[in-house]
Amino acid sequence: MNLFLDSFPVGLFQCNCSILGCPQSKEAIVIDPGEEGDAITKRLKAGGWTVKALIHTHAHLDHFGATADVKACCGGRSYLNKADQFLWDLHETQSMMLGLPRASVDPVDEYFQDGQILSFGQHSLEVLFTPGHTPGSTCFRLASGERQMIFSGDTLFRRSVGRTDLPGGDFDELAKSIKTRLYTLDGDSEVIPGHGPATRIGDERRGNPFVRV
Ligand SMILES: [Zn+2]
C-alpha cells in the first residue's frame, strides 16, 4: 500500500505541517496547518488531493493558524482534542503573545476520542491522547501499511520535549504520556515532531535527556 507523505516547516516557528495521502483514492489528511495557508493549499491542489480532515496535535496558534484558510480552499473537517478548546478560543491572545499574525479562525468541527481511527483511503491514523505540553496534546500513529510512524506534535522532539511552562502545561503529565504512550511503541517507529528533525522511538528511549525510561 503506497503512502504519500509530505512534511515541511511553515511560518515563524517552523511548525512541521504534514500532508498524508492515499495515492489510490487521492484522499488526504493534513496535520497542523500552522501558517502559510497559500503554500499548503498549493501543495494540496498540485497533488490533486481531496482533503478529508485537518487535524491538530494541539491548539497553540503556530499549529492551527492556517486551518481556516486551507479549509476554505480545499475542504475537509477540522479536529481537535476538546481539552485544548480553551487555547483555540484564545487565538487572538496567542497571536499577541507569540508575535504571530492574527489568524482567521473557524470553530472546530469535531473533537477526537482517544483511540479513534481516522481513515484516508486505504490508510488510517490512530489518535493517542498525550497530555502535558497542553491538556489536549495528541499524537497520531500511522496504523496502516508497513511503515511505522508517529506524529508527535510538541510532546516529543529529537532529544528534547515540549515546554510545559505555558498555560495548561504539566511536566509530570508530559513525562507520563511519553513513557506510557510513545516509548512503548516499536523502537524502529519514525517520529515526525511538531518542530525540528525527525527521529526514532528507540533513539529517544535511549538518548532523550529530558524523559528517561
Ligand atoms: Zn506548542
Side-chain angles (χ1 to χ4, degrees):
M1 268 194 299
N2 285 331
L3 173 78
F4 173 87
L5 171 64
D6 186 11
S7 284
F8 47 95
V10 293
L12 186 63
F13 293 101
Q14 295 285 281
C15 161
N16 288 325
C17 172
S18 296
I19 298 170
L20 276 161
C22 170
Q24 277 80 23
S25 66
K26 298 305 277 183
E27 288 182 343
I29 284 183
V30 182
I31 302 177
D32 286 348
E35 267 192 86
E36 299 187 40
D38 290 348
I40 299 168
T41 300
K42 215 172 177 180
R43 287 175 193 246
L44 288 166
K45 294 223 156 120
W49 298 108
T50 301
V51 178
K52 273 203 85 181
L54 302 148
I55 66 178
H56 304 91
T57 57
H58 63 295
H60 282 150
L61 185 58
D62 54 324
H63 295 256
F64 74 94
T67 299
D69 290 346
V70 175
K71 196 178 142 176
C73 291
C74 301
R77 292 178 69 73
S78 64
Y79 288 76
L80 185 71
N81 182 331
K82 191 176 184 188
D84 265 13
Q85 180 65 59
F86 77 103
L87 290 168
W88 188 278
D89 295 337
L90 286 171
H91 62 91
E92 284 187 13
T93 311
Q94 289 198 55
S95 84
M96 283 188 292
M97 285 178 64
L98 300 171
L100 287 168
R102 284 168 73 109
S104 70
V105 172
D106 286 343
V108 172
D109 291 317
E110 284 188 46
Y111 294 130
F112 297 124
Q113 302 297 322
D114 190 28
Q116 184 176 355
I117 301 291
L118 303 166
S119 61
F120 53 107
Q122 301 177 9
H123 293 278
S124 55
L125 290 170
E126 181 192 9
V127 173
L128 298 177
F129 283 3
T130 52
H133 175 62
T134 62
S137 281
T138 301
C139 296
F140 307 109
R141 186 182 73 85
L142 188 68
S144 56
E146 307 83 56
R147 230 167 141 181
Q148 310 217 53
M149 197 182 292
I150 180 103
F151 296 84
S152 63
D154 290 4
T155 298
L156 181 66
F157 299 124
R158 184 178 179 278
R159 304 298 185 271
S160 187
V161 297
R163 56 191 291 189
T164 51
D165 58 333
L166 295 169
D170 182 328
F171 181 79
D172 291 340
E173 281 277 312
L174 175 105
K176 187 176 156 204
S177 291
I178 291 174
K179 286 182 194 173
T180 62
R181 309 225 69 181
L182 301 183
Y183 283 177
T184 47
L185 300 171
D186 191 293
D188 287 336
S189 303
E190 295 172 64
V191 180
I192 314 274
H195 304 269
T199 181
R200 288 188 190 272
I201 287 291
D203 293 340
E204 296 313 311
R205 215 157 45 199
R206 275 187 297 275
N208 191 297
F210 294 96
V211 176
R212 297 178 174 280
V213 182

Short mmCIF file of all heavy atoms in Angstrom, two decimals, residues 58 60 62-63 133 154, ligand 1:
data_model
loop_
_atom_site.label_atom_id
_atom_site.label_comp_id
_atom_site.label_asym_id
_atom_site.label_seq_id
_atom_site.Cartn_x
_atom_site.Cartn_y
_atom_site.Cartn_z
N HIS A 58 -2.24 19.96 18.82
CA HIS A 58 -2.65 20.78 19.96
C HIS A 58 -3.03 22.16 19.43
O HIS A 58 -2.88 22.43 18.25
CB HIS A 58 -1.56 20.86 21.03
CG HIS A 58 -0.27 21.52 20.61
ND1 HIS A 58 0.55 20.98 19.65
CD2 HIS A 58 0.34 22.67 21.01
CE1 HIS A 58 1.61 21.76 19.49
NE2 HIS A 58 1.51 22.80 20.30
N HIS A 60 -1.84 25.34 20.08
CA HIS A 60 -1.01 26.53 20.02
C HIS A 60 -1.13 27.08 18.60
O HIS A 60 -1.16 26.31 17.63
CB HIS A 60 0.45 26.21 20.38
CG HIS A 60 0.65 26.07 21.87
ND1 HIS A 60 1.59 25.25 22.41
CD2 HIS A 60 -0.01 26.66 22.90
CE1 HIS A 60 1.52 25.33 23.74
NE2 HIS A 60 0.55 26.18 24.06
N ASP A 62 0.65 28.41 16.39
CA ASP A 62 1.58 28.07 15.31
C ASP A 62 1.24 26.71 14.67
O ASP A 62 1.82 26.35 13.65
CB ASP A 62 3.05 28.10 15.77
CG ASP A 62 3.34 27.24 16.99
OD1 ASP A 62 2.47 27.14 17.89
OD2 ASP A 62 4.43 26.65 17.05
N HIS A 63 0.26 25.98 15.25
CA HIS A 63 -0.17 24.69 14.68
C HIS A 63 -1.55 24.74 14.01
O HIS A 63 -1.95 23.76 13.40
CB HIS A 63 -0.14 23.60 15.77
CG HIS A 63 1.24 23.32 16.27
ND1 HIS A 63 1.96 22.20 15.92
CD2 HIS A 63 2.06 24.04 17.07
CE1 HIS A 63 3.16 22.24 16.48
NE2 HIS A 63 3.24 23.35 17.20
N HIS A 133 2.24 18.89 27.31
CA HIS A 133 2.61 20.17 26.68
C HIS A 133 1.41 21.11 26.76
O HIS A 133 1.55 22.29 27.09
CB HIS A 133 3.04 19.92 25.24
CG HIS A 133 3.33 21.17 24.46
ND1 HIS A 133 4.32 22.07 24.79
CD2 HIS A 133 2.72 21.69 23.35
CE1 HIS A 133 4.31 23.07 23.93
NE2 HIS A 133 3.35 22.87 23.05
N ASP A 154 4.16 18.68 19.79
CA ASP A 154 5.17 19.27 20.67
C ASP A 154 5.33 18.45 21.95
O ASP A 154 5.77 18.96 22.97
CB ASP A 154 4.81 20.72 21.01
CG ASP A 154 4.96 21.64 19.80
OD1 ASP A 154 5.26 21.13 18.70
OD2 ASP A 154 4.78 22.86 19.96
ZN ZN B 1 3.02 24.02 21.18
#
